Amino acid sequence: MIARIYRPAKTAMQSGQARTKAWVLEFEGAAAREVDPLMGWTSSTDTRAQIRLEFDTKEEAIAYAERNGIPFRLSEPKPRQPIRKSYADNFKFGRREPWTH
């Protein structure tokens, strides 16, 4: 079973950088998920898919995987491209779209 090492992205519901600094090691699911006919919950017989380990640095996560003989795939994070916006731009004279109510 292969593990994935990555840095999680910021969720759309938060404006800060909380829970995006640590590197995460997660196992990819080996067995398909099944729907329980009585309750409708999804479940799997693969218990490794429940494991989520957090590390301070990428090197620590890689060292842990190599020390325990876990094959892994490393996903580098994409750099953030902040979009500069100004509230005054909504009311400037040369707007591309007309401003209507």
Side-chain angles (χ1 to χ4, degrees):
M1 173 178 280
I2 195 164
R4 186 171 69 124
I5 298 174
Y6 67 98
R7 240 172 80 189
K10 176 177 87 72
T11 65
M13 300 304 293
Q14 71 185 29
S15 61
Q17 298 296 317
R19 299 187 56 90
T20 61
K21 304 286 187 211
W23 286 82
V24 176
L25 184 139
E26 283 183 340
F27 290 96
E28 295 178 355
R33 293 185 169 264
E34 302 169 354
V35 177
D36 182 65
L38 179 63
M39 297 298 288
W41 297 340
T42 56
S43 63
S44 176
T45 57
D46 182 23
T47 57
R48 279 191 166 184
Q50 300 172 5
I51 298 173
R52 178 184 167 110
L53 302 173
E54 292 188 2
F55 299 92
D56 291 331
T57 63
K58 173 177 60 170
E59 290 77 21
E60 288 179 9
I62 292 171
Y64 177 83
E66 289 174 348
R67 184 172 56 242
N68 291 307
I70 301 169
F72 64 91
R73 183 173 42 121
L74 183 65
S75 299
E76 291 287 340
K78 295 179 183 175
R80 290 189 63 213
Q81 299 289 332
I83 300 171
R84 297 278 181 190
K85 294 182 184 179
S86 173
Y87 181 70
D89 289 341
N90 292 330
F91 306 103
K92 73 180 182 181
F93 181 73
R95 279 181 55 106
R96 291 183 185 169
E97 299 112 20
W99 187 76
T100 61
H101 291 346

